[in-house]
């Protein structure tokens, strides 16, 4: 009943009278009132005005649960089978468990808080509640395992696109978010291979894990952590980490953002699968690549060196031209890249 009322309120931007709800659902006024109270408890902002009725206020509302996430997902199969946890160890670990149990391709696992969030290179990913997005998307692709790491770049592209859509929305609404004087340069970028940066600060990290048996992918899990509302960061990250609300100077709905990411991911993933390489989405990816045509420092375990980054190749490797004119293909698994003046 409460979900049906919610659906009806979603469809109406104007007030819906209590009488109308009673007649529509053939229930008493008290039953309607009780359902509305439950929805409010779930976090929905429902205005109740005498003689007018009820109205769902969606702006500024961060309802974060399975129903709300499902409602934002508008894809063929990516994220259609979803799980939501208020608290979990790691969404990646849970997505792997579900994959082993036979969960379908495109299963999405979201949590409000992680107690054992995993970052890249064996680090942990601090995951407080009520602030950020932690999700893992599980895929069962039929391509070669060597292609799986490229999915991290596809996800980075989808996240960057989704954040750009949010920003476009803010720009359409008010003057505060207009483009900077110098015009088109976007402040939303990807630091190769898969950190999303806004105004030069990291807001998102991606960790891809997979299970392979005899040269055959059993499943891939793309774990994504996005700082949305977090305001305070540990000292070691404070100078280069931030959150979307801080950088975009706007409210961000976590459920809404997940919906945008799933939509963008499905589009790019289909293009990637059809082409069998990153070639299909390379131009889109490079639009966001902050390292492009910049001097970078390659932190190669065999020896650090500098060069100019030219973009990526069809395998997602960073092309770095060194002083002697050679172009190195840098593979993300082995090395990381820094700007010569700092993080980006
Ligand atoms: C990085 O180190 O930059 C990658 C961080 C990835 C964190 C996400 S949060 C959701 C998913 N579950 C995890 O345990 N890790 C990833």
């Amino acid at each position: 009943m409460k979900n049906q009322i919610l659906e009806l309120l979603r469809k109406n931007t104007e007030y819906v009278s209590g009488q109308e709800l009673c007649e529509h659902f053939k229930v008493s006024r008290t039953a309607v009132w009780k359902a509305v109270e439950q929805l409010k408890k779930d976090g929905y902002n429902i205005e109740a005005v005498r003689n007018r009725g009820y109205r769902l206020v969606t702006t500024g509302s961060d309802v974060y649960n399975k129903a709300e996430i499902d409602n934002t997902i508008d894809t063929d199969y990516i994220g259609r089978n979803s799980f939501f946890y208020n608290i979990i160890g790691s969404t990646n670990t849970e997505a792997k468990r579900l994959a082993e149990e036979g969960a379908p391709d495109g299963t999405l696992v979201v949590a409000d808080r992680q107690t054992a969030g995993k970052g890249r290179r064996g680090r942990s990913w601090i995951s407080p509640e009520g602030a950020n997005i932690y999700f893992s998307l599980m895929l069962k692709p039929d391509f070669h395992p060597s292609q799986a790491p490229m999915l991290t770049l596809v996800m980075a592209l989808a996240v960057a696109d989704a954040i750009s859509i949010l920003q476009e929305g803010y720009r359409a609404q008010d003057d505060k978010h207009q483009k900077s004087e110098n015009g088109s340069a976007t402040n939303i970028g990807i630091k190769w291979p898969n950190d999303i940066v806004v105004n030069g600060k990291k807001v998102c990290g991606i960790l891809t894990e997979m299970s392979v048996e005899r040269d055959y992918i059993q499943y891939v899990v793309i774990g994504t952590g996005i700082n949305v509302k977090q305001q305070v960061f540990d000292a070691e990250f404070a100078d280069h980490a931030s959150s979307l609300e801080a950088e975009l100077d706007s409210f961000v709905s976590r459920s809404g953002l997940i919906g945008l990411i799933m939509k963008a991911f499905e589009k790019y993933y289909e293009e990637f699968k059809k082409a069998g390489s990153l070639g299909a989405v390379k131009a889109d990816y490079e639009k966001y690549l902050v390292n492009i045509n910049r001097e970078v420092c390659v932190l190669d375990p065999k020896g650090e060196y500098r060069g100019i980054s030219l973009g990526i190749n069809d395998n997602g490797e960073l092309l770095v031209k060194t002083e002697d004119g050679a172009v190195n293909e840098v593979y993300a698994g082995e090395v990381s890249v820094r700007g010569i003046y700092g993080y980006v």
Side-chain angles (χ1 to χ4, degrees):
M1 163 77 167
K2 79 172 182 186
N3 288 338
Q4 288 161 309
I5 292 190
L6 180 63
E7 275 325 294
L8 204 138
L9 293 179
R10 274 195 215 283
K11 286 190 195 123
N12 289 275
T13 46
E14 287 307 311
Y15 288 89
V16 182
S17 75
Q19 184 66 27
E20 234 176 295
L21 290 170
C22 295
E23 281 168 14
H24 190 92
F25 296 112
K26 302 196 173 40
V27 290
S28 67
R29 272 186 179 262
T30 321
V32 166
W33 178 82
K34 274 191 183 154
V36 168
E37 286 306 301
Q38 276 174 13
L39 287 167
K40 284 186 184 167
K41 259 198 208 129
D42 292 345
Y44 293 96
N45 183 1
I46 298 177
E47 265 179 14
V49 175
R50 220 172 224 288
N51 296 328
R52 295 186 78 180
Y54 299 102
R55 190 171 74 100
L56 179 67
V57 182
T58 47
T59 43
S61 150
D62 186 46
V63 183
Y64 201 45
N65 58 31
K66 177 174 160 54
E68 196 60 20
I69 291 166
D70 288 349
N71 185 56
T72 69
I73 290 181
D74 171 29
T75 56
D76 285 339
Y77 69 103
I78 294 295
R80 285 252 156 216
N81 180 43
S82 77
F83 294 80
F84 181 88
Y85 300 90
N86 289 320
I87 178 166
I88 198 149
S90 154
T91 55
N92 267 28
T93 308
E94 179 62 4
K96 288 195 263 183
R97 193 188 67 75
L98 289 163
E100 304 274 356
E101 266 187 1
D105 188 22
T107 293
L108 172 68
V109 180
V110 183
D112 184 40
R113 178 181 166 210
Q114 294 183 120
T115 52
K118 297 187 281 185
R120 289 172 65 207
R121 298 173 204 284
R123 288 191 280 253
S124 57
W125 187 258
I126 299 158
S127 311
E129 71 179 313
N132 303 323
I133 289 174
Y134 318 109
F135 75 76
S136 298
L137 182 64
M138 190 275 286
L139 302 170
K140 294 187 164 169
D142 54 13
F143 46 69
H144 193 265
S146 62
Q147 286 183 289
M150 298 180 213
L151 292 176
T152 313
L153 280 76
V154 178
M155 181 56 83
L157 172 57
V159 174
D161 247 21
I163 299 172
S164 299
I165 292 172
L166 283 185
Q167 191 174 53
E168 283 309 312
Y170 304 141
R171 284 181 173 158
Q173 274 166 20
D174 58 35
D175 293 339
K176 177 171 98 173
H177 299 97
Q178 295 318 306
K179 289 185 181 156
S180 56
E181 299 265 298
N182 64 6
S184 59
T186 174
N187 57 343
I188 298 163
I190 300 172
K191 176 182 171 288
W192 180 86
N194 53 26
D195 284 354
I196 309 296
V197 290
V198 181
N199 301 332
K201 297 203 163 184
K202 175 167 172 172
V203 295
C204 167
I206 302 170
L207 171 71
T208 298
E209 300 182 85
M210 73 171 152
S211 165
V212 178
E213 215 177 86
R214 275 182 251 110
D215 250 16
Y216 169 80
I217 297 181
Q218 286 189 302
Y219 55 82
V220 180
V221 167
I222 313 172
T224 306
I226 307 173
N227 303 331
V228 178
K229 297 165 196 290
Q230 190 170 339
Q231 289 179 353
V232 180
F233 293 88
D234 278 6
E236 59 175 311
F237 310 115
D239 64 329
H240 73 260
S242 189
S243 63
L244 288 180
E245 289 199 348
E247 296 308 318
L248 300 178
D249 195 12
S250 265
F251 166 82
V252 175
S253 147
R254 288 181 290 169
S255 304
L257 181 56
I258 291 178
L260 291 174
I261 295 170
M262 294 300 118
K263 184 88 183 158
F265 183 84
E266 187 169 84
K267 178 180 107 186
Y268 290 123
Y269 183 47
E270 288 306 308
E271 289 176 18
F272 169 78
K273 280 196 296 188
K274 222 183 279 165
S277 83
L278 275 178
V281 302
K282 193 169 104 139
D284 294 293
Y285 180 91
E286 285 183 344
K287 272 196 308 212
Y288 290 110
L289 187 60
V290 290
N291 320 84
I292 201 152
N293 298 327
R294 285 224 203 153
E295 189 166 11
V296 292
C297 183
V298 180
L299 308 177
D300 191 322
K302 290 183 225 123
E304 270 182 42
Y305 63 90
R306 284 185 180 194
I308 303 289
S309 117
L310 305 177
I312 57 165
N313 63 15
D314 285 0
N315 297 325
E317 292 158 341
L318 191 71
L319 303 172
V320 178
K321 188 170 179 181
T322 52
E323 223 174 36
D324 57 9
V327 177
N328 293 351
E329 294 178 330
V330 181
Y331 178 65
E334 299 158 4
V335 299
S336 62
V337 164
R338 293 267 177 279
I340 56 165
Y341 300 115
Y343 170 65
V344 174

